[in-house]
Amino acid sequence: MTHSRTIRTSIFLLTLGFSGHLAMAQRGEIESQTYEIVKEKSIEFAPANRLFDKVQPFPGTTKEKKVNYQILDPQINIASPKLTPTVATSSDEKERQDKPDVLNNYIKLGAGNYGRFLGEAFVSGKRAEDLVFTGQVKHLSAGNGPVDGKNSANAATNIKVGGKYIMSTYKVDGSLEYDRKNYYFYGYKPQPESYVVNRDSLRQTINQFGFSLGFENTDPSVAVDYSVKTSLNTLKDRYDASELDWGTTLNASVPISESFYAQLEAGAFISQRVDALTYNRNLYRVKPTFKYTSDVFTVTAGVNAVNQTDNQLNINKTKAYPVLNIDVNPISGVHIFGGWNGDVVRNTLKSMLGENQWLGSNVLIVNTEKTADLFAGVKGEVAGGFNYEGKVSYTHYRNFYNFNNALVDTSKFSIIYDPAKTKVLNISGQAGYAFNDLFKSSLKINYYDYAMGSVEEAWHRPDLTLNWFNALTISKKLFVTADFYMLRGIKAKNFQTGVVTKLPVIADLNLKIDYLLTRNFSAFVAINNLFGKEYQRYQYYPQQGLNFVGGLSFSF
């Protein structure tokens, strides 16, 4: 009991922003992966994909399109949205990989205000009928930003190569990826004009490498379906923090009868983070379930057993959580669903930086335990191209996390965990409409109510989010997409002054236009933040006002 209290006390103190020496003294810092509550992003009743997705009884009716658009979901869920919502873009890579076309490859160049530069290239090819490879390079940078010009500049470079080898009985795919981000901690206090800020002291550079390899059997004559995927990721920043994360997952399904299946999900994740201390943290998961399907309902029941270890906190715990999912199809086109689940959600330095890049050094990273998740809802399709979903969930967490400006340096962020029980009510609704290939629209709304345990507030988490996406094909040559984001109820605290601030509502409207000039050339322009508001997703970090990128694309 005393040991448990000591761990909780050190966790809470560390989250207030004490870095380096305090972290080393308390031995209270942990590392992990992304605590992201994964939610369904679209309402589609697609054909069953082998036995892993044998629940939906509705055949898909989606037709192939010349240009296909997808919503870049800004994680509008418990794990709050990314720093800057991005305009929806045409899914060029997927479209070009899936369709054999003479003009599979392209080179794209563009520029815009804030000293923006965009360069992108994509190539794909086949060495044989069964072997496909792709390669992509993308660089997007801004020479200036919303605060003190170059002191808020940023640049991002991504290089990715991948391949698929598809045979009649199995499929192998793999990829290599390098990602580099360079940016500056510009959330410092305003300085007198005579004072020159040391720009180099603000700089952060993050280099990431990733490798993945997957194998899946596709032989319809084999009773057992299975797929295995392994991935290795490394991360290193400018302040000598690094992370090595290796994970392997297995999915398998065995039919016991025509309507009864035994399923298994398993995963092993081994990670090491080096900062002020070295943290070796592992997580192992085994999730056996049984699924029964009929024309009217589907029931999945089982257990989720999770073991997590941490060498610095002397943690070696194993817990089991229920798995119960029910899907009822009372009438054609309508599904009523509900369930009760639990899990340990991995958090890593990579996942946390992906959500908030303004983290300081030696931040505390621990896994989040979802002790119970009760949910229910309804979804379906209506004749005429409409689909919808409504859902209510009530979830209990331990080590529920949020971000806030650190105590020592308010221009950097700490991760604050709630060691007591946090209760989150989420009411969500979404609706979509598609008219042939000419128009698509999707609206998603989430409301959150946070009942914190021992932490004052759910800092920097919105209580209401809205995302409205639209894609319009005006002609065979002109394509337009627009999306609107809204976030409300974000609170922040300056622990130096004790002042609590409710940040203004974020409203961000984005637009993208593609125009095919010739068979090989097209022009594009993407305009972000049409309202021109330098809103703050995180306190002291105003975003760029109205910004745009325009340019040309050459296909070959």
Side-chain angles (χ1 to χ4, degrees):
M1 193 72 173
T2 303
H3 180 65
S4 175
R5 290 176 180 171
T6 303
I7 291 176
R8 288 190 178 185
T9 302
S10 66
I11 286 177
F12 183 73
L13 288 175
L14 275 169
T15 57
L16 292 183
F18 294 96
S19 60
H21 301 296
L22 180 58
M24 197 173 294
Q26 300 269 351
R27 293 184 55 150
E29 185 175 285
I30 315 177
E31 79 135 310
S32 74
Q33 206 166 62
T34 317
Y35 154 45
E36 187 174 304
I37 309 308
V38 179
K39 298 187 181 294
E40 299 175 18
K41 297 183 180 179
S42 60
I43 312 167
E44 295 181 1
F45 302 106
N49 179 17
R50 312 269 301 155
L51 295 181
F52 299 128
D53 297 303
K54 201 166 179 144
V55 187
Q56 315 293 5
F58 294 93
T61 57
T62 304
K63 299 179 180 179
E64 291 188 346
K65 303 175 179 62
K66 175 64 178 177
V67 175
N68 185 30
Y69 289 94
Q70 63 179 4
I71 297 177
L72 301 183
D73 194 332
Q75 296 187 356
I76 298 181
N77 48 37
I78 290 296
S80 49
K82 296 287 187 182
L83 288 173
T84 306
T86 307
V87 69
T89 59
S90 57
S91 53
D92 292 324
E93 180 179 351
K94 184 179 187 303
E95 195 77 7
R96 293 168 191 273
Q97 289 183 50
D98 293 346
K99 292 186 178 181
D101 192 285
V102 178
L103 305 181
N104 265 351
N105 313 311
Y106 68 85
I107 297 174
K108 186 181 295 185
L109 293 173
N113 62 341
Y114 289 98
R116 286 184 175 276
F117 172 76
L118 168 67
E120 185 176 358
F122 175 85
V123 294
S124 65
K126 291 185 177 181
R127 295 294 298 270
E129 283 297 319
D130 301 319
L131 179 61
V132 180
F133 66 88
T134 61
Q136 187 170 17
V137 178
K138 182 177 181 179
H139 175 85
L140 178 62
S141 61
N144 301 289
V147 175
D148 291 346
K150 292 183 178 180
N151 286 359
S152 53
N154 64 79
T157 303
N158 180 267
I159 303 172
K160 185 175 182 178
V161 294
K164 293 181 181 180
Y165 185 62
I166 304 173
M167 298 296 290
S168 59
T169 57
Y170 65 90
K171 179 179 74 174
V172 180
D173 60 82
S175 67
L176 283 170
E177 186 171 8
Y178 168 69
D179 190 79
R180 183 181 189 274
K181 290 183 173 64
N182 187 82
Y183 54 93
Y184 297 84
F185 291 100
Y186 61 87
Y188 50 82
K189 297 178 181 178
Q191 302 296 324
E193 292 185 7
S194 58
Y195 181 79
V196 179
V197 178
N198 183 357
R199 184 168 179 254
D200 194 57
S201 67
L202 308 175
R203 183 177 175 182
Q204 171 67 295
T205 302
I206 298 175
N207 290 285
Q208 299 182 53
F209 290 91
F211 165 76
S212 67
L213 182 66
F215 180 87
E216 178 182 349
N217 81 312
T218 57
D219 188 351
S221 65
V222 177
V224 179
D225 281 343
Y226 63 90
S227 66
V228 181
K229 183 176 181 179
T230 187
S231 59
L232 179 67
N233 293 281
T234 67
L235 180 149
K236 186 174 179 61
D237 74 0
R238 195 166 183 264
Y239 300 97
D240 296 326
S242 64
E243 182 176 71
L244 176 68
D245 189 45
W246 178 30
T248 301
T249 58
L250 167 69
N251 287 276
S253 179
V254 181
I256 299 174
S257 67
E258 290 186 359
S259 57
F260 193 49
Y261 307 91
Q263 298 181 320
L264 174 65
E265 296 180 28
F269 304 90
I270 300 171
S271 61
Q272 181 184 77
R273 177 188 170 198
V274 178
D275 215 321
L277 297 173
T278 298
Y279 300 88
N280 295 306
R281 303 175 65 250
N282 305 324
L283 185 142
Y284 306 97
R285 178 183 291 111
V286 178
K287 186 178 176 181
T289 58
F290 291 93
K291 176 184 286 188
Y292 176 80
T293 65
S294 71
D295 294 336
V296 178
F297 68 91
T298 298
V299 178
T300 302
V303 64
N304 183 17
V306 184
N307 169 259
Q308 59 174 326
T309 65
D310 185 290
N311 71 320
Q312 290 295 338
L313 293 183
N314 298 317
I315 291 175
N316 189 345
K317 296 189 297 185
T318 302
K319 287 193 174 182
Y321 306 93
V323 178
L324 177 63
N325 298 296
I326 301 173
D327 187 298
V328 181
N329 178 213
I331 58 176
S332 178
V334 176
H335 281 251
I336 300 172
F337 62 90
W340 177 27
N341 296 286
D343 202 358
V344 174
V345 190
R346 296 183 67 233
N347 298 314
T348 62
L349 180 59
K350 177 184 176 182
S351 70
M352 292 297 191
L353 284 169
E355 194 170 338
N356 184 348
Q357 66 182 14
W358 313 115
L359 296 181
S361 58
N362 297 302
V363 291
L364 177 65
I365 302 179
V366 300
N367 291 336
T368 297
E369 183 183 2
K370 185 169 62 173
T371 56
D373 181 15
L374 297 170
F375 62 91
V378 59
K379 63 182 177 181
E381 289 183 333
V382 180
F386 289 96
N387 56 61
Y388 62 90
E389 177 182 297
K391 183 177 179 181
V392 177
S393 66
Y394 187 65
T395 311
H396 290 188
Y397 298 95
R398 291 195 185 276
N399 288 336
F400 182 82
Y401 74 86
N402 51 80
F403 301 102
N404 199 72
N405 305 83
L407 174 63
V408 176
D409 182 357
T410 58
S411 70
K412 296 181 175 65
F413 277 75
S414 295
I415 309 171
I416 300 179
Y417 299 85
D418 189 351
K421 183 177 290 186
T422 303
K423 303 174 184 178
V424 180
L425 172 67
N426 175 217
I427 302 174
S428 65
Q430 62 180 359
Y433 173 72
F435 179 71
N436 296 329
D437 297 342
L438 301 179
F439 178 67
K440 286 184 178 181
S441 184
S442 177
L443 178 66
K444 183 175 182 180
I445 302 174
N446 277 276
Y447 168 77
Y448 302 101
D449 180 70
Y450 307 97
M452 307 301 292
S454 58
V455 176
E456 185 179 356
E457 291 280 357
W459 304 117
H460 283 95
R461 287 192 178 276
D463 64 9
L464 182 68
T465 64
L466 182 147
N467 172 216
W468 185 24
F469 166 81
N470 297 276
L472 177 64
T473 302
I474 297 177
S475 69
K476 292 182 179 180
K477 292 186 175 183
L478 183 60
F479 311 95
V480 178
T481 61
D483 60 359
F484 172 75
Y485 296 92
M486 190 274 287
L487 292 84
R488 190 200 70 176
I490 300 173
K491 294 181 181 180
K493 184 172 183 177
N494 185 318
F495 284 111
Q496 293 181 355
T497 63
V499 175
V500 175
T501 303
K502 187 172 182 179
L503 301 182
V505 174
I506 295 173
D508 192 321
L509 177 62
N510 308 296
L511 180 70
K512 187 172 187 292
I513 301 171
D514 291 281
Y515 184 76
L516 304 180
L517 301 171
T518 68
R519 186 170 182 269
N520 298 94
F521 286 95
S522 62
F524 68 90
V525 61
I527 307 173
N528 298 300
N529 198 356
L530 277 165
F531 297 138
K533 301 293 185 180
E534 294 186 349
Y535 59 81
Q536 296 183 42
R537 175 61 186 88
Y538 292 103
Q539 185 171 230
Y540 307 138
Y541 280 92
Q543 300 299 301
Q544 292 177 348
L546 190 150
N547 62 89
F548 63 86
V549 176
L552 294 173
S553 179
F554 173 70
S555 301
F556 59 97

